Amino acid sequence: MTTTDDGILLTFPKGLLGFPQLTTFRLFEPRDGYPLKFLQSVESPEIAFTCLDPAGIQEDYAVPLGDEDAEALGLEVPEDALILTLVVIPEDPRRMTTNLAGPLVVNVKTRVGFQIALNAEKYPLRFPILPQD
């Protein structure tokens, strides 16, 4: 997937959890921002989310995507999927967390994605990004 300074446009036909009316987002990574990326609504630019590739913080993280979801996304092989998780940055950024229970799965070929709800008992809602003391 190619990224420009303006980012890439992604479509979420069902919106994101809590924002079903927002279906088009711009994904971009600010300079020196790795591993963090931003997902900004095109319909309401004041709404933006921080996200990241969870493989960078938990190597064995995998989304158990059902056949129905894979078919709806048009995924032919797992390598066509971009997985992102949303990040919460509190006042003390050393305590930022990411939601492993609600990943975004995007088909990199079609740029269409869905937010998947996973079992929060197995996939933490607030997984620490940085090692905690």
Side-chain angles (χ1 to χ4, degrees), residues 13 65-81 105-114:
L65 201 60
D67 290 342
E68 186 176 310
D69 289 328
E71 185 175 324
L73 283 168
L75 292 171
E76 296 176 4
V77 294
E79 292 76 20
D80 289 345
V105 182
V106 177
N107 181 326
V108 297
K109 291 182 177 173
T110 63
R111 299 181 178 181
V112 173
F114 291 123

Side-chain angles (χ1 to χ4, degrees), residues 12-115:
F12 293 87
K14 298 178 182 176
L16 301 182
L17 296 176
F19 299 91
Q21 75 283 9
L22 303 178
T23 59
T24 306
F25 288 84
R26 183 172 71 99
L27 178 67
F28 62 100
E29 183 175 313
R31 188 180 310 253
D32 300 327
Y34 183 84
L36 300 179
K37 304 175 186 335
F38 294 97
L39 193 64
Q40 182 180 34
S41 169
V42 171
E43 294 99 342
S44 297
E46 70 277 9
I47 297 177
F49 302 95
T50 304
C51 54
L52 58 68
D53 177 351
I57 59 168
Q58 191 176 37
E59 272 184 40
D60 61 345
Y61 180 76
V63 176
L65 201 60
D67 290 342
E68 186 176 310
D69 289 328
E71 185 175 324
L73 283 168
L75 292 171
E76 296 176 4
V77 294
E79 292 76 20
D80 289 345
L82 168 68
I83 308 294
L84 298 169
T85 54
L86 300 179
V87 173
V88 173
I89 303 175
E91 188 172 322
D92 180 356
R94 294 173 298 183
R95 301 214 175 271
M96 67 180 147
T97 59
T98 192
N99 178 357
L100 297 181
L104 309 177
V105 182
V106 177
N107 181 326
V108 297
K109 291 182 177 173
T110 63
R111 299 181 178 181
V112 173
F114 291 123
Q115 185 169 21

